[in-house]
Amino acid sequence: MKFVSSHRMTLFALAFSGVYLGTVFVLDLEVFEIFTDSLQAMEHYSVDEFVFPLLVIVIAIFSDAVRQRRLNTIELEKAKIYKAMITSVQHVMNNFLNQMQIFKMTADKTPGFDPRVLALYEVVIKDAMTQLHALSSVTRIDEQAIKTSVEPGFLSRPKSRTD
C-alpha cells in the first residue's frame, strides 16, 4: 500500500498511457492527431493562443496544491513530534520533582536548615512547573515561539498574536 501512495502519479501515468495506447490500437484512433487538428480548427477562432497559458495555469495550480499538502503534512508531523517530546520532558521532570520532595522533607526535618533556602526551593520548583506548562501550551511550533514561551516573565505579559 505504501508503494501505491508514494508512486501515485507514476501509476496514474502508466494507467493513462495504457488506456491511451489501447484506444489508439484497438479503435484505430489517432488521438494526438485529433488534438492537433482541433488546435488547427481553433486557429480560425483565435482560441488556440489560450490553450497553452491555460495548461500552464492548471499545472501551476496542481503543483501549488501538491506543495501545500506536503507542507501541511510536514507541519502536522512537527506538531506530533513536539508534543511527544514535551510529554517525555514532563514525565522526566515530574519524576525529578517527586524525587526532590524527598530532599524537601529531609530539609524540613533538619534542625537549623535555612528557611530561605526552602523558600527559594519552592520558587524554583514553581518556576520550573510554570515553564513546563508554557512549553506544552505553545500552539505555533517554531524556534521563536518556543524560546519566547520560557523567557522570564512570559506568563505575566499580555498575550500577543505571535505567542
Side-chain angles (χ1 to χ4, degrees):
M1 196 62 170
K2 185 174 173 88
F3 177 81
V4 171
S5 65
S6 63
H7 296 89
R8 214 177 359 214
M9 293 305 292
T10 302
L11 293 172
F12 171 78
L14 285 170
F16 179 80
S17 297
V19 169
Y20 173 78
L21 289 173
T23 303
V24 168
F25 291 121
V26 172
L27 300 177
D28 196 28
L29 289 176
E30 296 294 332
V31 177
F32 191 72
E33 287 181 17
I34 294 171
F35 178 70
T36 56
D37 289 344
S38 298
L39 285 178
Q40 189 66 31
M42 285 187 228
E43 179 69 33
H44 176 70
Y45 300 107
S46 296
V47 176
D48 61 326
E49 286 84 10
F50 294 103
V51 172
F52 183 70
L54 286 175
L55 182 64
V56 170
I57 290 170
V58 167
I59 290 171
I61 289 171
F62 179 75
S63 297
D64 285 343
V66 168
R67 184 177 152 276
Q68 189 60 45
R69 184 175 174 193
R70 186 174 297 129
L71 290 175
N72 289 344
T73 302
I74 290 170
E75 287 300 314
L76 287 173
E77 284 299 314
K78 277 176 37 180
K80 285 171 37 179
I81 291 168
Y82 179 77
K83 292 297 180 183
M85 187 219 27
I86 288 298
T87 302
S88 299
V89 167
Q90 285 177 327
H91 178 75
V92 169
M93 286 301 296
N94 284 334
N95 286 343
F96 171 75
L97 293 173
N98 286 334
Q99 292 171 1
M100 288 302 293
Q101 288 298 326
I102 296 170
F103 168 80
K104 184 178 183 302
M105 291 186 308
T106 304
D108 283 338
K109 293 178 184 177
T110 304
F113 196 88
D114 189 353
R116 293 177 296 177
V117 173
L118 283 175
L120 180 61
Y121 169 87
E122 292 293 334
V123 169
V124 168
I125 295 298
K126 184 177 179 185
D127 187 47
M129 296 289 281
T130 302
Q131 287 181 338
L132 273 175
H133 177 70
L135 270 175
S136 66
S137 300
V138 170
T139 55
R140 188 187 46 150
I141 300 172
D142 62 33
E143 182 180 6
Q144 187 60 39
I146 293 169
K147 284 181 177 180
T148 301
S149 73
V150 293
E151 284 179 355
F154 170 74
L155 294 176
S156 60
R157 289 193 316 249
K159 293 258 183 198
S160 71
R161 289 187 182 168
T162 59
D163 294 341

